[in-house]
Amino acid sequence: MLRLSPEGSRRFSQTERLEVHYGGGEANVALSLALLGEEARFVTKLPLHAFGENALRYLKGYGVDTSCILRGEGRLGLYFLEHGASQRSSRVIYDRAGSAFALSTPEEYDFDKIFEGADSLHLTGITPALGKNCARLALLAMREGKRRGLTVSFDPNFRANLWTEEEAKRCFETLLPLTDILIASSDGLSVLGLSPTGEDEEKTAEAAKTLCERYGLRAAALTMRGHISASENRFSALYYDKTAHFASPYLLRIVDRVGGGDAFAAGLLYALKQGYDGGTAVEFATAAGALKHSVEGDANLASKEEIFALMKDKSGRVLR
Amino acid sequence: MLRLSPEGSRRFSQTERLEVHYGGGEANVALSLALLGEEARFVTKLPLHAFGENALRYLKGYGVDTSCILRGEGRLGLYFLEHGASQRSSRVIYDRAGSAFALSTPEEYDFDKIFEGADSLHLTGITPALGKNCARLALLAMREGKRRGLTVSFDPNFRANLWTEEEAKRCFETLLPLTDILIASSDGLSVLGLSPTGEDEEKTAEAAKTLCERYGLRAAALTMRGHISASENRFSALYYDKTAHFASPYLLRIVDRVGGGDAFAAGLLYALKQGYDGGTAVEFATAAGALKHSVEGDANLASKEEIFALMKDKSGRVLR
Amino acid sequence: MLRLSPEGSRRFSQTERLEVHYGGGEANVALSLALLGEEARFVTKLPLHAFGENALRYLKGYGVDTSCILRGEGRLGLYFLEHGASQRSSRVIYDRAGSAFALSTPEEYDFDKIFEGADSLHLTGITPALGKNCARLALLAMREGKRRGLTVSFDPNFRANLWTEEEAKRCFETLLPLTDILIASSDGLSVLGLSPTGEDEEKTAEAAKTLCERYGLRAAALTMRGHISASENRFSALYYDKTAHFASPYLLRIVDRVGGGDAFAAGLLYALKQGYDGGTAVEFATAAGALKHSVEGDANLASKEEIFALMKDKSGRVLR
Amino acid sequence: MLRLSPEGSRRFSQTERLEVHYGGGEANVALSLALLGEEARFVTKLPLHAFGENALRYLKGYGVDTSCILRGEGRLGLYFLEHGASQRSSRVIYDRAGSAFALSTPEEYDFDKIFEGADSLHLTGITPALGKNCARLALLAMREGKRRGLTVSFDPNFRANLWTEEEAKRCFETLLPLTDILIASSDGLSVLGLSPTGEDEEKTAEAAKTLCERYGLRAAALTMRGHISASENRFSALYYDKTAHFASPYLLRIVDRVGGGDAFAAGLLYALKQGYDGGTAVEFATAAGALKHSVEGDANLASKEEIFALMKDKSGRVLR
Amino acid sequence: MLRLSPEGSRRFSQTERLEVHYGGGEANVALSLALLGEEARFVTKLPLHAFGENALRYLKGYGVDTSCILRGEGRLGLYFLEHGASQRSSRVIYDRAGSAFALSTPEEYDFDKIFEGADSLHLTGITPALGKNCARLALLAMREGKRRGLTVSFDPNFRANLWTEEEAKRCFETLLPLTDILIASSDGLSVLGLSPTGEDEEKTAEAAKTLCERYGLRAAALTMRGHISASENRFSALYYDKTAHFASPYLLRIVDRVGGGDAFAAGLLYALKQGYDGGTAVEFATAAGALKHSVEGDANLASKEEIFALMKDKSGRVLR
Amino acid sequence: MLRLSPEGSRRFSQTERLEVHYGGGEANVALSLALLGEEARFVTKLPLHAFGENALRYLKGYGVDTSCILRGEGRLGLYFLEHGASQRSSRVIYDRAGSAFALSTPEEYDFDKIFEGADSLHLTGITPALGKNCARLALLAMREGKRRGLTVSFDPNFRANLWTEEEAKRCFETLLPLTDILIASSDGLSVLGLSPTGEDEEKTAEAAKTLCERYGLRAAALTMRGHISASENRFSALYYDKTAHFASPYLLRIVDRVGGGDAFAAGLLYALKQGYDGGTAVEFATAAGALKHSVEGDANLASKEEIFALMKDKSGRVLR
């Protein structure tokens, strides 16, 4: 997906130049995992034109395995992002209808090739929101992954600009029983009927427990966010695997609000894959998520070394 | 329509920032006429979001009457433009499917209001290329204009990325009998079955005569272009109203290749409206078209004074 | 007025490029009112050259009625703005002497046309500071407005770079008896002999009361600001109409310090015009003022919907 | 003087950012001479504010002796420059009224200090165009220079935006009898009653002869320009010191049109000071002038080595 | 290698921002071949820091096989490029001493891995110019390539900033007997004792013949350049394989002068690999080289389709 | 030294443009002193190429005496700076090996000329870190300065990227006995065997006392920093001259983290030179250091007036 945003804190109405980034939930997670050193294969369908090429080159440059990305007719989905500041919220205008991916059918994808050598599968709630084809594809991918014994993680993020809460709920409830690890923001769970739990540790643990039991999850990871303004957030997280592991919180000065959840997800998946214990895993994932907020673009460009360094020293001292 | 182009002579593959312009055939003509001092009402349908607002504000700022522009669901059509240079052609990626305008139906437009006080109507071949709705709209608008006694001008420009030559031809042949003044590039007439005439005055006059007779036109204006490279063109034109009036030619150093034809069209419509004779009209229109090639963006931002000045002195001396 | 500012937090001494905005007290209020949906007519005199045109086009684009703006000889007033940060204050270099507006005489303005259909008039203390002609014009405009039964609002802001406190005081005291609604910053009232009241609610209410009684005002609106640094302010306001209505305060991360008072004024005038009660009006105006600080340029580009949204939810969450 | 120009080939009406340069006829000559290795003292009056400082720092950085520059009240004169291209001329909007220099009186300048150690004085026709004070200053400076035995050079360039041809002529005729070396463009001499001579060598030599005789000049240097378009000029020159020395011509692709004459003047003054013969001097000056057209800003940033290299090899090969 | 260049036609002395590109002779050829669809493996040594990563990511994104690139201590070689214009030459400041590649020894490279599956090897004269290690590496690589039966191509380009003509000659004469195909500019052969042949077809063919005989080459390809100015060149080429094949010439408007020879080399190597006949091969290579001059950066970003299109139609028409 | 940094908060991996600044410890102090009105002579060796010229011009523009700067072979040392934000630290990549300065020998410097008319000498710990030549030069300069009765100040800042703590310690212990005034960050003293004292006033005073006694210093100035994040620091300082003088602390929003210590040093040296008492001196120096953090680039561009204004009013109000 192509992301176009006015420079700095300019508004859409003041746009003479748009900054170009590439992103999208699963792409961000794949790139982040590749940067951390994992093999990550990203699957989508991209148009044949130059901007489709650009997206591909971006992923390849960062080491993402793009061999299963389809190419063909259709647009490149795009969205406009206006960076918020202070009391002014960031705003998104989606322009994704008719994208090559949205138009692609599950039949075009070769799951044997896609899952070859893979041990886990990650999906977000945005994929099924892109239309019937994509909803079918998400379900099929999860089933195929499950059947092959992969660990399935799912982030049920909800975009009000793409569908209604009811549609999302109905869809997510078919996907969650196939999910091993749920990764979500604690405030984003209202689509599943939970009340927002904010920064309340007890209520957040309660919510995670409820979800694990309701959907038979192996674990649930919930980010916890305190909204001070569009420029400042508190940020923490819970990893719940019967035991509740809370990360120590960060006070974030936000450079780029988008992709924090994906950075957290990638950090968590990486940490679990390395066999870190729950407490370390959630600290790693939260540090990864925190760093993302200081990086322009959708994807977390923080290295493993930076994440570990942050876990040890939050001072932000200059390194020279 | 939103136009997004890499800075300077950067390629699509080198795009970190996109420059934003607004344009589209009829919009360019309307803006240019408004700048020249004519009342110009532009009709389209724009989405409700911020970039729809931007397009509207752009037109209003230049004095275009936007009171008949509809607002509603759908995308803002957009296109990506890579500026060519030397032997490298400019390239366009259209991304217009599903635009609010393309989705709009003729029934949404109130022709009584649209044509109130108007004495002429201008359309280009791109409008009917946007889909069935737009093709019906173009035809209906011409009929309604004709019925009210307006002078109808039409530029049958053909975009291979939007439809086939056959589709275009079939459509244009329904529109041309309703046309009073045809405005086209002499090389662009192949869609109507004519051979390209390049810079050959005799053949160009022949082509104009043929068209006038075949479609019962009052007059035909044909721009003539010598392609030296993407950076340099020769540019001239014929205005044929039984008599052939040729403009003196320009050697253009091209800053922005898009919109030259629209600038010429606006110049011609303005000149005819002022009652200039055919020779002066074609000189005025050609000077307007020439100046456009030195202006970034789709629209000609040259004033009447500049056009007249160029007609008198082609030296390009600094004015201070 | 043309505003030229170095990019980002660059200093004047590091200026290789200047960002261009257009503004000025009354222009900002007019634009903001137009954006909120009110009819707003702005009156000034602009030079004939291209930057005069630019200023005009900017206002027209946002829907301001520019039909009473005079054009003629003289400069376009301009100012240089260096954005402050942290402990470094924003700085302004005025370069307004000899502007077309400053040179214009009251006799050039046709008050019958200017006030046609109007129900209110807004002026700031900067207009009379621009010289004798402007001071006469301000007084005359207020008298003419008053005579026609308009509601007159006045913001007695004082610019030390333009005149002395004594000159300002003498002038303001001729204007305030003609004023219905005073809109000012509580710390900016020293020119009228009041001590700065900072964020003290009681003292601010006292000051408002004093002013209403002293000048026979219908109401007084005072913004209250806590200066943490050039990057951070607390921001609140009082609307006093016999009763003191205080707005809930905001902690601002400042993107652009200029125009906060004008945004507040426009918000208040809009709210009163809609018939909101005093409490809602001051909340609306304060939210408008708060949002302005997050927007580049002089004018508040926040919509009614954004202002209402902020009044309900100050979290600055991303909207997608 | 501050120069503000839209980026690249943008028009004034498309200005979101202005590029900042500093310049002015005599300043350009002084900077160029300093860069070539001569001691050059520039005299003017600059305002006290940050942009006055910037102008000063710019000159000091390039080694110009700024010890005689006065500081005080007034504006910094500025001008807006729109770069032309192809058939579209470059345009200048002057905004120099009320500058500190224009307001300064001859009495403020200490000629003993100014001329200490100097052997030549250069002035342009723009200085007396800035008002009565400056006209008096120019005359006085020439007289004082003359009295001290300096070689006086004068470039009678005429700016229609600043005064009329008659005013200029009257003034220039008081200055030319004090002039030793006249440096001008052959087409710019109409203010002195000569017809433009274009690129005609014979007529140009005739004009130079006439001027030398009429005003008792020691020599006259005339640049000769062929106007192909705003992007392309032919450029040559004559140096006439009883004998006519013509430089070989250049075909220029113009990057920045302003300051070509000043670069030529500095080149000539440098060459004469080094004792080059007339033929070498005019080749050197013309090469300097040619190079300037490829450099952004008012001043010629070409070194002596580059000028000599161009005199030997006009191929423009990459140097690596 | 990192390339840093002032924006547009700014000079080094006007540099507030530097544009970043990555390049270097062999890297440009590898990237170009990968873009054309060939498998291309690039071998060098890059530092461990972020800019080393950037260079790697750039190559990977374009599909270059980077698996044999070493990483380790040392700098990233860099050069500053000032774009020339008109009579002002482009200038290069090399800053390559102490680069990780220059410090690397031949022993660090595993030729079995490097040449696995390869059928050709390309080197330029810049590699041995970087120091003794690199000179040894170049020689060893050629021997190892030759021993394995690869086709060896060599471009003996000479950089006066890196070594003397004598040093270069001595080195090249050890490499040329190992060379199958020589690719050079006809004017760049003076280092081998030939006189520049400019655009003279006969002399160029003579030079190619001499070289083939002297060094036992299979073929020699020589680009031919007519230097009009830094903005304009004529460009053609000869491919000599006993028979002399000349390409039709182009008149280039130069956007970026660097990398034209590498683009030509890549085009030629691609064409020969496809089995095109000599005439087609040199047309393809010349078209590739011509297009490069219109592309910013060191590498040719033109696709196969664009090159073929240019071979058929040199008009530079907009594609839409 | 040339500093290259990605724009805004972009990471090294997102660099398409690098912003250019010039700096280096002693250069920053010299420039700051010159700006404050002191005569400051900076000594180094710069390469002959254009960027060496640029560095020189930058210093000359700000009034630094550059008459003792040597020119000659070698690189211009450079470093890449990535601006940190929030939890992400600023990062520096040094690329200084082989610089003209690092290659210069003490014998090249003429100390009689260097110290002519001087009354003080300032050095930082970075100079001796650049290699044996520079370490010898630092020692020799201090001895020569001392011998001539100059006040010697030294900032023992340590860069882990340049040498080890042991090497630094060994070197600093030869320089500190020659030092009159030590200026350091309290946390940076670990290289001398002291524990970091953070913001603890008592411990900081203790450390200063220890240093004064151990090395026979006249005074020690220690900045104290509270690390909240890369975007926010608390900043204060101690000046210890038997008596401990503490400055009142600032909460900094960091625009540019580099050069805070140099700005403090320059402020202190200026204040002591003016004869301010210890308390005022440390307040002045700390205000100078605080302001630097709001200024882009290495050097403090704050004027004396701004520093005094900040000492009186920390509100950061807009000045207009």
Side-chain angles (χ1 to χ4, degrees), chain C residues 7-11 13-14 82 85-92 94 159-161 187 227-233 253 257-259, chain F residues 19-21 62 232 250-255 290-291 293-297 299 301-303 306 310 313-320:
Chain C
E7 298 173 303
S9 43
R10 301 220 147 199
R11 302 216 64 178
S13 52
Q14 301 173 303
E82 179 183 287
S86 200
Q87 276 71 37
R88 182 169 55 77
S89 296
S90 290
R91 303 181 101 75
V92 165
Y94 281 115
R159 296 290 178 265
N161 291 354
D187 283 6
H227 295 275
I228 303 172
S229 75
S231 301
E232 266 180 315
N233 279 188
R253 302 275 171 213
R257 175 62 190 80
V258 176
Chain F
E19 300 193 338
V20 175
H21 288 276
Y62 276 102
E232 266 179 317
Y250 292 90
L251 177 62
L252 310 175
R253 303 277 170 211
I254 298 174
V255 168
L291 281 169
H293 290 81
S294 75
V295 176
E296 293 187 31
L301 302 181
S303 69
E306 287 179 292
L310 177 55
D313 173 6
K314 301 189 176 182
S315 71
R317 275 158 210 264
V318 56
L319 303 177
R320 58 185 171 187

Side-chain angles (χ1 to χ4, degrees), chain C residues 156-173:
Chain C
N157 40 17
F158 170 70
R159 296 290 178 265
N161 291 354
L162 296 174
W163 55 356
T164 65
E165 290 220 4
E166 296 71 52
E167 291 171 319
K169 192 180 183 194
R170 213 170 316 129
C171 169
F172 291 172
E173 293 199 326

Side-chain angles (χ1 to χ4, degrees), chain B residues 294-314:
Chain B
S294 74
V295 175
E296 293 186 31
D298 278 34
N300 191 11
L301 302 181
S303 69
K304 207 158 44 191
E305 289 72 25
E306 288 179 292
I307 296 168
F308 279 125
L310 176 56
M311 288 164 70
K312 283 198 206 115
D313 173 5
K314 301 190 175 182

Side-chain angles (χ1 to χ4, degrees), chain D residues 116-138:
Chain D
E116 192 189 332
D119 56 17
S120 55
L121 166 69
H122 181 71
L123 275 166
T124 76
I126 300 173
T127 292
L130 297 177
K132 294 225 164 111
N133 284 336
C134 292
R136 277 177 54 219
L137 176 60

